[in-house]
Every structure is written in structure tokens, then in C-alpha cells.
Amino acid sequence: MDVRLVAIILCHIALLSGQSTGGRKRPPTTTAAAPRYRPTAVEDEEAVDQQESECPEPNGFFADASQCDKYYACSDNKITEKLCPDGMVFNDYSSQQEKCDLPLNIDCSQRPALQTPQPAEHCPRQNGYFAHENQNICDKFYYCVDGKFNAITCPGGLVYNEKSGICTWPDEAKKKGCSSQDVFNFRCPNVTSEIALQHPRYANPEDCQFFYVCVNGDTPRRNGCKMGQVFNEASGKCDWPRNVPECADWYRGVLTDEELYNLENPKPKETTKEKEAAAARRKPSRPPTTKRTVEEDDE
């Protein structure tokens, strides 16, 4: 065989060998990083030392990545895991403040996990605002502090709103079983669209002092007149009982005729000058005082 042909064959074999072994590229290696505000679990002393460098900043307070009531305190790049009191969550508004807050004030949608509840009487958790256990009781709720509850009742016509933690109109709370119709046992009459836009008013058939405003003609809200007055459905306004025959005796046994008269005919308020003049008249007059001389004392 020709020497040149042998050399060509050997070179070709060497090239193929290089492509199948030494010429192969290695896949890139990746290192999994711990969450920015969430230290990984440690199993030995070396991992503990490494944990000191996981603070986003040398000093401050930082929310956990997945649990809303967990946070971390960093001091000189040393990290400490902490938990808010049960029912509270960490407020990450400022890394310079260590503050736990009510869930109503914090958006926990991105870190919804929470610690195991520690329930007490009327308190699903140790701290916070909680609806009444009976879903049909709409106007009562509990405020819990360290597992101790305070029962609170909403003003008339309002119900507890679990989303805001305050008392609101039933149609704003949107709680099942606590709609305006459920709470008031009143339904707005069907009216034309023109009348509906005027938010018509209707008398409360059981209480002369109160009435219903039908928002947009279909959502009732309970309102009331001030003490001494009743709702006049003819005028759509609050009025004095003597002008509403069906409610003329509504305050009998509650207010006397004289009290009703004084409410309807209040005395005019005194002006500043009149008050000053009255105060001057009430001020007692004192006799003039004289100073005794030293000579008079010696005598």
C-alpha cells in the first residue's frame, strides 16, 4: 500500500477519535442559590458559618419568602429567624423597622403560609378581628388580644366586613347570609329607571324613626332621623311627629311633651358678647382694699 495513503487513513482515524472523546464539550454547572430573604436549613457547622452571609443587607429586618408571619433580623450580617405573635404578620414596609401588623393591613398573597394557629375562646388565633361563629349573626364580631376576646356590636344597619375588619353596609361586606335583604328583611319595590337613579326612600314599617334608602333603586340601606324626629314618607324627609299622623305618638313614654317642644324649638345660642356680659353679671363685686402704712402699724 502507498505510504501516503496509509498516512491519510491514520490522520482520519485520529480526527474521529478526537471528536468522540477529547473534543466533547461539558454541560455548564449551576449552583442553586438560597432565597434572598429566606435562609436554607443547616445541617453542620460549616453551613451555619455560611448562613451569616445570607442577609440582603448587613442590618435590618426582612420578610420570609413564603410565610407571611415569619421574618429575619440581621445584625452585622448575622441572621436570626423570628415569628410574629399568632394572628399577626410581618410588615415589610421598611427594613429598618421591626413591626408585626394585622393581616388586614398587609398583602400576603405572595407569601400566604402562616404558623400553626393557637385558638382560644371566640379567637381562631391569638390576635386579630374575627367574625361571629354563627354565620347568621352579621353585626357582631370579636377583637382578640393574646387570646382574650372583646365582643363588639356594629351600629344599627351595619354588619361586620371580614375583608376590611370594620362595620360596613351589608352590600359592601358581601357576606353570605348577611345581604341587605337578609339583615333588614326589606326589599326595595320595583321602580322605573328614572326613579331608581334618585335613590328613593321608604319608611321602616316597624320603626318610625328609621327609613330605607334604596341605592340605585334595588339595594336597601337603613338610615335614621335624629332623636325627636320621625320619617315622613310623604316628603321623603325627617319631620316632627305632629306632622306625621301615623307616628304622632312614637316618642310617648320616651320623651315628654316639653322635651319634644324644646327639641323642635331650641333656644338660640348666645353670642360671644352675650356670654361675656352674662359672665360679668355673675362676677361678685369686691370692696376696695387699702394699704396700711408702717406708721399705722406702729400706732
Side-chain angles (χ1 to χ4, degrees):
M1 181 180 296
D2 190 346
V3 176
R4 288 181 298 175
L5 179 60
V6 172
I8 292 172
I9 294 173
L10 290 177
C11 289
H12 183 65
I13 293 174
L15 288 172
L16 291 176
S17 177
Q19 289 177 354
S20 61
T21 56
R24 183 175 57 198
K25 295 183 179 180
R26 296 182 180 179
T29 57
T30 58
T31 302
R36 183 179 180 187
Y37 302 119
R38 183 180 180 183
T40 56
V42 294
E43 298 179 357
D44 51 37
E45 294 182 1
E46 182 179 353
V48 172
D49 293 336
Q50 185 179 1
Q51 189 184 41
E52 294 182 356
S53 63
E54 292 177 347
C55 290
E57 298 176 13
N59 298 284
F61 304 94
F62 306 96
D64 183 77
S66 59
Q67 186 168 329
C68 206
D69 53 7
K70 183 191 292 186
Y71 65 102
Y72 302 94
C74 288
S75 178
D76 295 332
N77 271 327
K78 293 184 178 180
I79 194 165
T80 303
E81 180 181 302
K82 291 192 172 187
L83 270 180
C84 290
D86 181 38
M88 309 287 281
V89 295
F90 181 66
N91 187 331
D92 60 347
Y93 178 77
S94 171
S95 62
Q96 302 305 310
Q97 293 185 355
E98 183 178 13
K99 182 180 180 180
C100 291
D101 209 334
L102 291 172
L104 299 168
N105 302 325
I106 306 298
D107 180 10
C108 288
S109 59
Q110 301 302 314
R111 43 193 181 105
L114 296 170
Q115 62 184 287
T116 303
Q118 303 171 35
E121 184 181 10
H122 299 307
C123 301
R125 289 185 179 272
Q126 291 285 300
N127 301 276
Y129 291 94
F130 304 100
H132 197 281
E133 298 92 339
N134 187 338
Q135 292 186 354
N136 295 323
I137 298 179
C138 305
D139 62 343
K140 294 179 174 60
F141 63 101
Y142 302 104
Y143 175 49
C144 297
V145 179
D146 296 332
K148 306 295 182 182
F149 73 90
N150 292 291
I152 303 174
T153 301
C154 294
L158 304 182
V159 302
Y160 177 63
N161 189 328
E162 296 182 61
K163 296 179 180 178
S164 62
I166 60 175
C167 298
T168 63
W169 297 109
D171 57 281
E172 293 176 340
K174 297 180 180 179
K175 181 180 178 181
K176 185 178 180 181
C178 296
S179 68
S180 299
Q181 289 81 2
D182 296 326
V183 173
F184 305 134
N185 194 26
F186 175 86
R187 292 186 179 277
C188 295
N190 293 326
V191 295
T192 63
S193 57
E194 183 179 355
I195 295 177
L197 292 175
Q198 299 174 12
H199 312 303
R201 298 180 175 189
Y202 303 94
N204 185 331
E206 300 178 355
D207 195 323
C208 284
Q209 190 179 355
F210 290 90
F211 60 95
Y212 295 106
V213 178
C214 286
V215 180
N216 297 322
D218 57 9
T219 303
R221 289 184 177 179
R222 187 171 180 259
N223 280 269
C225 302
K226 67 181 182 180
M227 177 61 69
Q229 291 190 334
V230 296
F231 180 69
N232 188 333
E233 194 164 23
S235 64
K237 299 178 180 179
C238 292
D239 205 342
W240 301 106
R242 62 181 176 82
N243 298 325
V244 187
E246 61 271 25
C247 295
D249 297 327
W250 180 252
Y251 288 103
R252 187 177 299 278
V254 178
L255 297 173
T256 65
D257 292 342
E258 182 180 1
E259 288 173 329
L260 274 173
Y261 178 84
N262 291 334
L263 287 172
E264 187 174 353
N265 303 278
K267 295 180 180 180
K269 294 182 179 180
E270 292 183 333
T271 64
T272 303
K273 290 183 177 180
E274 289 173 339
K275 290 180 180 180
E276 291 175 351
R281 288 195 299 269
R282 292 192 296 268
K283 187 176 181 180
S285 58
R286 296 181 181 178
T289 58
T290 57
K291 294 183 179 180
R292 300 179 65 185
T293 64
V294 175
E295 290 78 10
E296 289 176 335
D297 288 337
D298 292 341
E299 292 176 3

